[in-house]
Amino acid sequence: MYSKKKQFDRRYLFILAVVIVALVLVVLSVALKNDRNLNFFERIAKDTGMIVLKVAYSPFNFIKDQINEMREKDNLYEKYEELKEKEEQMDSLQAENENLQNEINKLQESLDLNSILSDKVLLNATVVNRNVGYWYDEVTIDKGSNDGIEKNMAVITSKGLIGSISKVSSNSSTIKLLSNENMSNKISVKIRVSDDQYVFGLISGYSSKNNTYTVEGISENVDIAKGADVVTTGMGDMFPSGIQVGKVTKVTTDNFDLSKVVEVEASVDFDDIDYVTVLKRESE
């Protein structure tokens, strides 16, 4: 009996509270709709209500702002990742494009060389192997005896002479480079000193540090200008005449002051050899 009475009292209180709240809302609604000025107590009540509402809503507004900020950060991070990925793709594409353009330029130089040396029998080839331990000694190309290549044939690039064939197999060949510091055969070259005058010497060594040859055996008492062209003489059976070797960078004399020693900057970059041209003998 007591339990039922207690439940009835709770329901009564709840209904009474709802009625009071409804009456307060009606009174406030009527008061707000009225154009009259608010009295002192109404202003205090209204201001107090606004303060209470601001204080009550401030945690919710703070949480809402934090959520929006986190969402913005997430969106910015996603956009950053997308831009970073696109930038990496662009860098990769640019590097690939530059590499392809470099390959095209080298092939074009080989074609131009074929046109310049049209009176000679030429065979273009690609470098397929280069041993890091013998970087300046030799390279292997993808042409061999089946293509008519023989030992001691001269090999050039669009920039100038690089060496000669030292080993031949059916489908590949080895080029002994002029940058080989153990060069056994001295190569005869001539240096232009005027429009129709040359002095002759021999390449006796190479410096990989400076990419320069040493030319010795020049006994003529003539002035050799810096920047003078150095080309092959054609003496011997290996290298035809007139192939570019390099340009003079320095002239000194030997220890006995009997002959000149000339430093020649190689026209070829021996660190960058991809395509070569073999000068085949005309009888072939």
Side-chain angles (χ1 to χ4, degrees):
M1 181 71 180
Y2 175 77
S3 177
K4 290 183 178 180
K5 184 177 179 180
K6 188 175 182 179
Q7 291 179 359
F8 176 79
D9 291 341
R10 288 179 178 177
R11 291 177 182 175
Y12 176 77
L13 289 174
F14 176 75
I15 294 171
L16 181 62
V18 172
V19 171
I20 292 172
V21 171
L23 289 173
V24 171
L25 292 175
V26 171
V27 171
L28 289 174
S29 176
V30 172
L32 291 174
K33 289 181 179 178
N34 198 339
D35 293 335
R36 66 180 176 80
N37 294 329
L38 299 177
N39 60 37
F40 175 76
F41 296 103
E42 289 173 337
R43 288 198 300 271
I44 292 177
K46 184 175 181 180
D47 293 341
T48 302
M50 292 299 296
I51 293 173
V52 171
L53 286 174
K54 288 182 179 179
V55 172
Y57 274 106
S58 60
F60 297 100
N61 291 331
F62 175 77
I63 294 173
K64 181 181 178 182
D65 292 340
Q66 292 296 314
I67 292 174
N68 290 334
E69 184 177 351
M70 290 179 64
R71 287 177 178 173
E72 290 179 0
K73 287 182 178 180
D74 290 339
N75 291 334
L76 287 174
Y77 182 75
E78 290 177 0
K79 291 180 179 178
Y80 167 75
E81 289 294 324
E82 291 177 0
L83 290 174
K84 185 178 179 181
E85 184 178 355
K86 290 181 179 179
E87 182 181 4
E88 291 175 351
Q89 292 176 352
M90 288 295 294
D91 290 341
S92 177
L93 290 173
Q94 183 177 359
E96 184 179 354
N97 182 60
E98 290 176 355
N99 183 60
L100 289 173
Q101 187 60 51
N102 187 40
E103 295 292 321
I104 291 172
N105 291 338
K106 289 179 179 178
L107 288 171
Q108 183 62 49
E109 288 174 351
S110 296
L111 293 175
D112 293 341
L113 180 65
N114 290 353
S115 177
I116 295 172
L117 301 175
S118 58
D119 60 330
K120 294 180 174 60
V121 181
L122 308 177
L123 178 64
N124 294 327
T126 303
V127 174
V128 293
N129 184 44
R130 191 168 189 179
N131 192 318
V132 177
Y134 302 95
W135 188 259
Y136 293 105
D137 294 345
E138 59 184 31
V139 296
T140 302
I141 58 175
D142 61 349
K143 296 293 188 295
S145 58
N146 289 342
D147 304 287
I149 291 181
E150 294 181 354
K151 189 176 180 180
N152 294 330
M153 286 182 173
V155 185
I156 62 176
T157 69
S158 60
K159 303 298 183 183
L161 184 66
I162 65 166
S164 60
I165 301 295
S166 60
K167 300 175 185 177
V168 182
S169 62
S170 298
N171 298 302
S172 65
S173 302
T174 300
I175 302 171
K176 184 177 182 180
L177 300 174
L178 294 186
S179 57
N180 190 323
E181 294 184 355
N182 298 319
M183 189 185 305
S184 57
N185 297 324
K186 293 186 177 181
I187 300 168
S188 175
V189 295
K190 55 185 179 181
I191 304 172
R192 182 189 295 272
V193 294
S194 65
D195 290 341
D196 56 354
Q197 184 180 4
Y198 292 87
V199 292
F200 294 82
L202 296 171
I203 295 179
S204 60
Y206 171 82
S207 170
S208 59
K209 180 179 179 181
N210 301 317
N211 192 31
T212 56
Y213 303 112
T214 300
V215 178
E216 298 178 332
I218 303 172
S219 58
E220 286 89 346
N221 187 21
V222 294
D223 292 331
I224 300 175
K226 184 178 179 180
D229 287 324
V230 181
V231 298
T232 55
T233 64
M235 296 180 181
D237 296 331
M238 190 174 297
F239 302 115
S241 175
I243 300 176
Q244 184 72 26
V245 173
K247 291 184 179 294
V248 173
T249 57
K250 185 178 179 182
V251 180
T252 58
T253 57
D254 62 15
N255 295 331
F256 304 100
D257 290 333
L258 298 176
S259 63
K260 289 181 171 61
V261 178
V262 180
E263 186 175 280
V264 177
E265 182 179 7
S267 58
V268 174
D269 181 3
F270 285 100
D271 287 320
D272 185 24
I273 301 176
D274 296 313
Y275 301 100
V276 302
T277 299
V278 180
L279 303 183
K280 296 172 64 178
R281 297 185 178 90
E282 293 184 4
S283 60
E284 294 295 320

